[in-house]
C-alpha cells in the first residue's frame, strides 16, 4: 500500500487519548485515511456497545479495506498492543510504520459480544485481541490495519490501545477506568472462602465420618432390598448413598487418595463413582491390550476409599474414544464406536478381556480381586450409550451391515421369513433392503419420534422392538458374564443414558436396563451457556442465563420415572457452572430423593484432593494478580455445591425426610412401548397429538397427560410388561396447583412455590428454606424454625445432628449457602441467541481469580428449643471459629448469624 492515498475518506484528524502516562487509546473511526466500505447492513450495530459510540467497519465482496492512524507515543517503552475488532471469521493484519504486515489472531479474541442491532447471530461481533508487545520510541508513529477476510473482506475496528500499564479489557473502559456497564463482585458484601488445610483432628465439631462404616463392605456386598426398590448392606441394614463422581486419580498417590477419601467422608459422602477404562487406544495396540497403569489406579482408589467407609461404583467403558485402526473394527479407524458394543462380537470379546483383567487381578493394596471386594458396590456395564439415541443413525459401513443382518435374523425369528415381515409391513420398503442376503434396512431414530401409519407404523414398531430387545439381551448377557464367568458379587447396572425422545422412547430405554439390578440415568441442571469451548470451560466473553430450579422445578434431575422393583440412581448430576443459583442443588436433591425414593445422586465431578481453590484451567501460564482466565465448568468442590453437603447428607442418609406414597403407578404393555403409545407422564417434553405417534394405551383408565409437577408430590413408578388397566393416579387436586405453580408433597413436609421461587422443608428433624428470600417477603416460619432474611437468594437449613426432633435436639447444624464467585468476577447484562431463541442474560467480562467470594449471610434465626444455650460459628473445615451471641424469647433461641456464616453449631 505504501503511502498512496487512492480513494480516501478523510477523518476529522488525529485523535489520540492518553488514559495514563504510558497509554495511547485510539478510536477506530478516527483514521487519518482509509478505504473502508461502510456497508448499510454490516453497519447496523449497537453503537451503545462501542467505544465512542462508533466503529469503522468494512464489507465489500471485491476489495479489502485498510485504515491508517497517526500516533504520538508519550514515552519510550514496551507497549502492550490490544485491538477491539470483529473476531468472527475475519482476517486482520497490521503494519507499524514501514514494517512488515503482521496477521492479528482474531480467533483468540476475548470479551466477544454480539453487536447486531437485530440480535441475529451472524458476522457482526466485537471482541478484544491482544496483538502482542511493541517496543516503541517516544514520538510519532503510524499504524495501519487491513481487513481481508474470505467472506466479503469483512472486518471492523472499534478501538485499539497501546499501554505500558497493566491492562485487561473490560468493554469500552480504558486502562485505569472502571467499566460503567459491568457488575463486579463487591468485596464489602462478600467474604473470602479460603479454607485452612485440614488436619482432620478431633477438634472439628462438624465431621460426618462417623456415618460411614469403619470399612466399606465390612458386612458383605451391597444387596437389593426385599422389594427390590432400594439398597441394603451385607447385614441387611438399609443404606442410602450420598455420592460423588471423582477422577484424576491416575496422578495421585495412595496417600493423596486416602486424604481425598477422608475429606469426602467428613462431608457425608459414602460412595464414589470412578472411571476404570483400561483399554489401550493408541495406534498399534491390539484391541485386547490392557492398560496395567489404569488398573493400578483403580486398585489405589478402592483401597483408599474402603478405609474411609466409602463404597465404589465402577464404570469401565465409554464409546467416546477414538478406536485405532489396530483394533480391527472395520470402517471405524479413528472413529468413536457408538452403539457397536451391543452387537459387534469382536468388541464384546475385547470388553470381556478388559473386564477379566480389571476384576480378577488381586489388588496389591487389599489382597482382594475387585470381584471379591464388597467395597465395590455396583458395576456399570458402560457409560452413556444406547441404541435408542441419535448416535445410532451414525452406525455405518461394515458395522451397519452387521446390524442389518442381525435385524434380519430377528425378523425371521418373529415372522418366519423376511417376506412375511414385508407382508406385515404392507410392502413398506427401505432403500437398503437386501432380503436376498438377509439385510434389512434401518430407518433412523427420527422416524420413531414422528407419527406413522399403515405399514410404516408397523415397520417402525418392529425396529424399535428389535433395538430394545438387542439392548436388553446384551445387558442380560453381560450380567451373566460378570456373575457366572467372573464371579463378581456386586450389583450390576446396565448404563445411564436416555432415549432420543424422552416422551415416546424413555420407558423402552429403561426396560432394557432392567435386565440388570440397578437402573440409572445422567441428569444435570444448568444454565443456557453460549461460547466457544463451552462444553468444558468458562471464558470471558461467554454468555449465560441463570434460571433457578426453584423457578423451573419440572426440570429437577430427581424427577425420575422409576421402574418398580429396581433401585434408581443418577450416576452424574450437578447444578452446572456458570449457574449462579447453585446452593439450592444439594438441598433440593436431598429432600426430593428422600420423597421419591431415588437411591443416590452422584455429584459430578471433582478431581481435587479437597476443595477446588483455583478453578482456572491453565491453558496458558497464569500471571499472578491477573484476572480473566478460562475456568473449569464441571467442578463440584466449591462452596456453593460441596460446601452444602453436610446438612443434606445428614438429612438424606438418616431418613429425616419422609418417603412419599406413589402418586402415579403406570403399568405398560411392552407392545404399547413398541407402538410408541404415549405414557401418561414423562420426565421431560410434552405430548403433542399433532406430532407424536400413537395415543394413550387403550386399556388405561387415564386418557390425559399428567402435569410433570406431580413428580414433586411423590414417587412416580412405571411397570414395563404390566396391565395398563391397573394404572393408578392419586388425587393430586389438593397437592398440585398448576396455575399457582405450587406443589405440596403428599407427606406434607415439602412445599415448592415456583411462582415465588421458594421451597420450604418442614420435617421434625430438618427444616429450612431455599430461594429468593427477600423477594418472597423475607420471613419463613416452619414448625420449629423461623428464618428472617434480607438475602436476595439463599439456602438455609437447620438439621439435628443427634437424630432427635429439633425441639428436643442438643446439637443442631445450621447451614447457609448464598452465591459464590471468584474475586473480581464481573458480568454485564446482555441479549444473546441460543438455539434460535433470543435470551436476556449476562456476558462474562472477567472470570476473576481466587479466592472465592461468598455473598454475606443476612439472617436472623429463631429456633424453638428450650435447652440450647450456645452458638458457635464453624470455619469451612468444621472447626470452632467464633462464639456467636444468642438471646432467648421464652423457649425460642434467637441468633443473628454472622455475615460469614456457612456452618453454625447450636448446642
Amino acid at each position: 500500500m505504501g503511502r498512496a492515498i487512492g480513494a480516501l475518506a478523510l477523518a476529522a484528524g488525529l485523535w489520540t487519548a492518553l488514559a495514563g502516562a504510558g497509554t495511547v487509546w485510539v478510536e477506530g473511526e478516527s483514521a487519518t485515511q482509509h478505504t473502508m466500505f461502510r456497508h448499510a447492513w454490516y453497519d447496523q450495530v449497537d453503537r451503545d456497545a462501542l467505544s465512542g459510540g462508533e466503529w469503522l467497519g468494512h464489507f465489500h465482496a471485491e476489495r479489502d479495506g485498510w485504515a491508517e492512524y497517526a500516533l504520538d507515543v508519550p514515552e519510550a517503552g514496551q507497549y502492550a498492543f490490544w485491538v477491539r475488532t470483529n473476531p468472527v471469521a475475519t482476517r486482520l493484519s497490521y503494519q507499524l510504520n514501514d514494517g512488515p504486515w503482521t496477521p492479528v489472531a482474531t480467533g483468540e479474541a476475548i470479551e466477544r459480544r454480539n453487536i447486531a442491532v437485530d440480535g441475529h447471530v451472524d458476522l457482526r461481533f466485537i471482541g478484544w485481541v491482544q496483538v502482542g508487545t511493541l517496543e516503541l520510541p517516544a514520538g510519532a508513529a503510524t499504524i495501519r490495519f487491513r481487513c481481508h477476510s474470505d467472506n466479503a473482506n469483512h472486518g471492523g475496528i472499534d478501538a485499539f490501545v497501546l499501554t505500558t500499564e497493566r491492562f485487561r479489557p473490560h468493554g469500552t473502559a480504558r486502562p485505569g477506568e472502571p467499566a460503567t456497564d459491568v457488575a463486579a463482585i463487591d468485596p464489602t458484601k462478600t467474604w473470602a472462602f479460603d479454607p485452612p488445610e485440614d488436619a482432620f483432628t478431633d477438634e472439628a465439631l462438624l465431621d460426618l465420618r462417623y456415618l460411614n462404616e469403619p470399612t466399606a463392605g465390612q458386612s458383605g456386598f451391597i444387596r437389593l432390598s426385599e422389594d427390590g426398590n432400594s439398597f441394603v448392606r451385607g447385614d441387611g441394614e438399609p443404606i442410602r448413598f450420598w455420592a460423588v463422581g471423582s477422577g484424576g486419580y491416575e496422578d495421585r498417590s495412595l496417600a493423596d487418595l486416602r486424604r481425598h477419601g477422608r475429606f469426602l467422608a467428613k462431608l457425608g459422602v459414602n460412595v464414589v463413582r470412578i472411571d476404570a477404562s483400561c483399554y489401550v487406544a493408541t495406534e498399534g495396540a491390539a484391541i485386547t491390550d490392557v492398560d496395567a497403569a489404569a488398573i493400578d489406579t483403580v486398585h489405589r482408589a478402592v483401597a483408599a476409599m474402603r478405609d474411609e467407609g466409602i463404597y465404589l461404583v465402577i464404570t469401565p467403558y465409554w464409546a467416546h474414544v477414538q478406536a485405532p485402526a489396530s483394533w480391527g473394527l472395520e470402517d471405524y479407524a479413528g472413529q468413536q464406536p457408538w452403539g457397536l458394543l451391543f452387537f459387534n462380537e469382536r468388541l464384546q470379546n475385547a470388553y470381556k478381556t478388559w473386564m477379566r483383567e480389571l476384576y480378577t487381578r488381586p489388588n496389591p493394596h487389599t489382597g482382594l480381586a475387585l470381584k471379591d471386594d464388597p467395597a465395590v458396590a455396583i458395576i456399570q456395564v458402560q457409560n452413556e450409550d444406547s441404541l435408542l439415541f441419535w448416535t445410532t443413525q451414525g452406525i455405518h459401513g461394515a458395522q451397519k451391515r452387521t446390524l442389518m443382518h442381525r435385524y434380519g435374523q430377528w425378523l425371521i425369528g418373529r415372522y418366519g421369513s423376511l417376506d412375511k415381515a414385508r407382508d406385515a409391513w404392507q410392502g413398506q420398503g427401505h432403500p437398503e433392503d437386501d432380503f436376498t442376503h438377509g439385510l434389512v434396512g434401518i430407518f433412523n431414530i427420527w422416524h420413531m419420534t414422528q407419527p406413522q401409519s399403515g405399514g410404516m407404523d408397523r415397520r417402525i414398531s418392529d425396529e424399535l422392538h428389535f433395538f430394545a430387545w438387542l439392548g436388553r439381551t446384551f445387558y442380560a448377557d453381560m450380567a451373566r458374564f460378570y456373575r457366572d464367568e467372573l464371579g463378581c458379587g456386586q450389583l450390576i447396572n446396565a448404563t445411564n443414558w436416555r432415549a432420543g425422545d424422552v416422551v415416546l422412547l424413555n420407558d423402552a430405554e429403561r426396560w432394557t436396563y432392567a435386565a440388570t439390578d440397578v437402573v440409572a440415568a445422567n441428569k444435570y441442571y444448568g444454565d443456557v451457556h453460549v461460547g466457544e469451548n463451552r462444553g468444558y470451560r468458562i471464558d470471558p466473553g461467554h454468555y449465560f442465563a441463570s434460571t433457578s430450579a426453584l423457578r423451573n422445578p419440572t426440570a429437577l434431575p430427581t424427577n425420575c420415572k422409576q421402574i418398580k422393583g429396581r433401585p434408581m440412581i443418577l450416576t452424574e448430576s450437578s447444578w452446572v457452572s456458570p449457574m449462579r443459583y447453585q446452593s439450592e442443588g444439594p438441598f433440593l436433591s436431598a429432600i426430593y430423593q428422600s420423597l421419591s425414593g431415588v437411591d443416590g445422586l452422584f455429584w459430578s465431578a471433582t478431581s481435587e484432593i479437597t476443595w477446588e481453590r483455583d478453578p482456572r484451567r491453565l491453558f496458558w501460564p497464569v500471571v499472578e494478580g491477573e484476572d480473566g482466565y478460562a475456568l473449569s465448568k464441571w467442578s463440584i468442590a466449591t462452596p456453593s455445591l460441596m460446601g452444602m453437603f453436610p446438612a443434606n447428607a445428614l438429612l438424606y442418609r438418616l431418613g429425616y425426610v419422609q418417603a412419599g406414597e406413589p402418586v402415579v403407578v403406570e403399568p405398560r404393555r411392552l407392545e404399547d412401548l413398541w407402538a410408541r403409545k404415549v405414557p401418561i407422564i414423562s420426565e421431560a417434553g410434552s405430548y403433542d397429538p399433532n406430532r407424536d405417534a400413537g395415543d394413550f394405551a387403550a386399556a388405561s383408565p387415564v386418557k390425559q397427560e399428567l402435569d410433570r409437577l406431580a413428580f414433586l408430590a411423590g414417587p412416580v413408578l412405571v411397570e414395563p410388561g404390566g396391565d395398563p388397566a391397573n394404572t393408578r393416579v392419586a388425587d393430586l387436586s389438593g397437592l398440585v396447583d398448576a396455575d399457582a405453580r405450587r406443589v405440596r408433597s403428599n407427606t406434607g413436609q415439602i412445599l415448592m412455590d415456583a411462582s415465588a421461587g421458594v421451597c420450604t422443608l418442614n420435617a421434625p428433624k430438618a427444616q429450612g428454606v431455599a430461594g429468593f428470600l427477600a423477594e418472597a417477603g423475607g420471613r419463613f416460619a416452619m414448625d420449629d424454625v423461623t428464618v428472617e432474611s434480607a438475602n436476595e437468594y439463599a439456602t438455609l437449613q437447620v438439621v439435628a445432628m443427634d437424630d432427635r426432633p429439633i425441639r428436643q435436639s442438643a446439637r443442631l447444624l445450621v447451614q447457609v449457602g448464598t452465591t459464590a464467585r471468584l474475586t473480581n468476577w464481573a458480568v454485564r447484562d446482555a441479549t444473546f441467541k441460543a438455539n434460535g431463541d433470543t435470551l436476556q442474560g449476562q456476558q462474562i467480562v472477567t472470570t476473576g481469580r481466587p479466592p472465592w467470594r461468598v455473598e454475606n449471610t443476612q439472617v436472623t434465626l429463631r429456633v424453638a428449643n428450650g435447652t440450647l444455650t450456645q452458638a458457635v460459628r464453624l470455619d469451612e473445615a468444621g472447626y470452632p471459629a467464633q462464639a456467636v451471641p444468642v438471646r432467648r424469647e421464652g423457649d425460642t433461641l434467637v441468633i443473628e448469624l454472622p455475615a460469614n456464616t456457612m456452618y453454625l453449631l447450636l448446642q
Side-chain angles (χ1 to χ4, degrees), residues 270-323:
N270 64 337
V271 66
V272 167
R273 176 176 179 254
I274 62 171
D275 172 67
S277 300
C278 58
Y279 45 75
V280 181
T282 54
E283 189 55 62
I287 194 172
T288 53
D289 284 350
V290 175
D291 185 347
I295 294 177
D296 184 57
T297 296
V298 177
H299 284 163
R300 292 197 310 276
V302 170
M305 297 303 144
R306 77 194 299 269
D307 289 346
E308 295 299 337
I310 296 175
Y311 289 87
L312 294 102
V313 172
I314 294 179
T315 181
Y317 173 79
W318 189 25
H320 187 69
V321 58
Q322 305 293 334

Side-chain angles (χ1 to χ4, degrees), residues 287-523:
I287 194 172
T288 53
D289 284 350
V290 175
D291 185 347
I295 294 177
D296 184 57
T297 296
V298 177
H299 284 163
R300 292 197 310 276
V302 170
M305 297 303 144
R306 77 194 299 269
D307 289 346
E308 295 299 337
I310 296 175
Y311 289 87
L312 294 102
V313 172
I314 294 179
T315 181
Y317 173 79
W318 189 25
H320 187 69
V321 58
Q322 305 293 334
S326 55
W327 275 17
L329 297 177
E330 190 177 356
D331 296 330
Y332 267 76
Q335 300 178 48
Q336 296 173 346
W338 296 108
L340 269 57
L341 189 61
F342 291 101
F343 63 89
N344 182 286
E345 292 184 3
R346 180 177 178 82
L347 185 56
Q348 289 177 355
N349 290 334
Y351 175 92
K352 290 179 179 180
T353 298
W354 305 330
M355 296 307 102
R356 186 172 286 107
E357 291 298 315
L358 175 63
Y359 284 99
T360 63
R361 285 188 183 185
N363 185 339
H365 308 289
T366 66
L368 292 173
L370 295 184
K371 70 182 181 67
D372 299 319
D373 193 338
V376 179
I378 299 172
I379 295 170
Q380 191 170 75
V381 175
Q382 64 171 334
N383 182 61
E384 290 186 346
D385 201 4
S386 167
L387 289 173
L388 300 182
F389 194 63
W390 302 107
T391 45
T392 297
Q393 59 202 48
I395 298 173
H396 61 275
Q399 306 305 325
K400 184 175 183 180
R401 290 191 293 276
T402 297
L403 184 60
M404 290 166 62
H405 185 266
R406 187 78 177 268
Y407 185 25
Q409 294 300 110
W410 181 84
L411 287 168
I412 291 170
R414 176 168 170 78
Y415 289 103
S417 72
L418 294 182
D419 289 337
K420 290 181 179 179
R422 182 162 46 199
D423 290 342
W425 300 339
Q426 301 174 25
Q428 176 65 53
H430 184 284
E432 294 182 334
D433 283 344
D434 183 358
F435 286 8
T436 300
H437 295 94
L439 301 177
V440 181
I442 295 173
F443 288 93
N444 64 39
I445 297 298
W446 180 83
H447 291 83
M448 297 182 188
T449 71
Q450 302 301 308
Q452 307 294 347
S453 61
M456 185 63 168
D457 183 60
R458 180 68 177 269
R459 179 160 184 162
I460 293 301
S461 295
D462 278 344
E463 186 173 303
L464 171 55
H465 187 180
F466 165 67
F467 278 160
W469 169 85
L470 186 58
R472 187 176 172 101
T473 299
F474 166 74
Y475 288 127
D477 288 345
M478 284 301 169
R480 283 191 292 270
F481 163 73
Y482 278 113
R483 291 234 171 79
D484 299 341
E485 292 190 38
L486 298 190
C488 295
Q490 289 82 11
L491 298 175
I492 309 298
N493 160 242
T495 188
N496 49 6
W497 202 216
R498 64 181 185 270
D501 188 300
V502 174
V503 175
L504 299 178
L505 304 178
N506 238 37
D507 286 348
E509 172 79 7
R510 299 268 172 86
W511 174 78
T512 71
Y513 302 173
T516 62
D517 304 300
V518 181
V519 176
N522 290 352
K523 298 177 69 177

Side-chain angles (χ1 to χ4, degrees), residues 638-697:
T638 63
S640 294
L641 292 176
M642 200 174 281
M644 298 296 99
F645 276 14
N648 293 297
L650 264 174
L651 70 87
Y652 175 66
R653 291 182 58 185
L654 296 182
Y656 285 179
V657 178
Q658 184 180 344
E661 291 297 318
V663 294
V664 178
V665 180
E666 184 181 14
R668 304 200 65 194
R669 296 171 66 245
L670 296 183
E671 291 78 6
D672 288 344
L673 300 186
W674 320 144
R676 288 99 62 222
K677 296 292 184 182
V678 179
I680 62 174
I681 190 168
S682 60
E683 293 170 16
S686 60
Y687 170 56
D688 179 355
N690 297 312
R691 179 188 69 86
D692 294 324
D695 296 315
F696 296 99

Side-chain angles (χ1 to χ4, degrees), residues 207-221:
D207 186 345
L208 303 185
R209 171 64 178 89
Y210 71 93
L211 292 177
N212 294 359
E213 299 159 272
T215 302
Q218 64 185 41
S219 61
F221 286 100

Side-chain angles (χ1 to χ4, degrees), residues 550 583-584 587-588 591-592 647-648 651 656-657 744 748-753 757-773 779-789 794-800 806 812-817 859-863 897:
L550 295 160
S583 68
E584 67 192 33
F587 172 70
L588 294 175
I591 63 177
Y592 281 110
N648 293 297
L651 70 87
Y656 285 179
V657 178
R744 187 178 297 279
Q749 294 182 343
I750 305 171
L751 177 62
M752 172 67 76
D753 186 340
V758 170
C759 181
T760 54
L761 170 67
N762 193 9
K765 300 176 184 178
Q767 295 171 27
V769 60
F772 299 87
L773 306 188
R779 187 176 188 277
F780 307 89
M782 282 66 74
D783 286 348
D784 310 308
V785 173
T786 299
V787 176
E788 296 174 357
S789 177
T795 303
L796 186 141
Q797 299 164 256
V798 178
V799 179
I806 288 174
L812 292 176
L813 173 63
V814 179
Q815 180 175 287
V816 184
V859 169
T860 299
L861 185 66
R862 287 176 165 79
V863 181
L897 271 59

Side-chain angles (χ1 to χ4, degrees), residues 179-201:
T180 56
D181 64 340
V182 170
I185 287 290
D186 186 345
T188 67
K189 297 180 180 179
T190 59
W191 55 274
F193 178 86
D194 192 13
E197 287 298 332
D198 199 339
F200 300 109
T201 70

Side-chain angles (χ1 to χ4, degrees), residues 686-735:
S686 60
Y687 170 56
D688 179 355
N690 297 312
R691 179 188 69 86
D692 294 324
D695 296 315
F696 296 99
S700 173
V702 181
K703 301 300 182 185
Q704 64 180 13
E705 185 182 34
L706 300 178
D707 194 313
R708 284 185 288 135
L709 290 172
F711 282 106
L712 307 175
V716 174
L717 306 179
V718 62
E719 296 180 21
D723 183 354
N726 296 324
T727 297
R728 303 190 304 278
V729 177
D731 181 3
L732 298 173
S733 60
L735 302 175

Side-chain angles (χ1 to χ4, degrees), residues 547-590:
T547 301
S548 162
L550 295 160
R551 304 279 198 197
N552 185 29
T554 58
L556 279 174
T558 48
N559 292 350
C560 290
K561 195 173 181 183
Q562 302 171 67
I563 290 184
K564 188 175 181 181
R566 292 290 188 276
M568 179 79 193
I569 59 176
L570 303 179
T571 46
E572 293 181 23
S573 190
S574 189
W575 265 238
V576 183
S577 295
M579 160 63 63
R580 181 173 182 236
Y581 306 116
Q582 292 182 311
S583 68
E584 67 192 33
F587 172 70
L588 294 175
S589 297

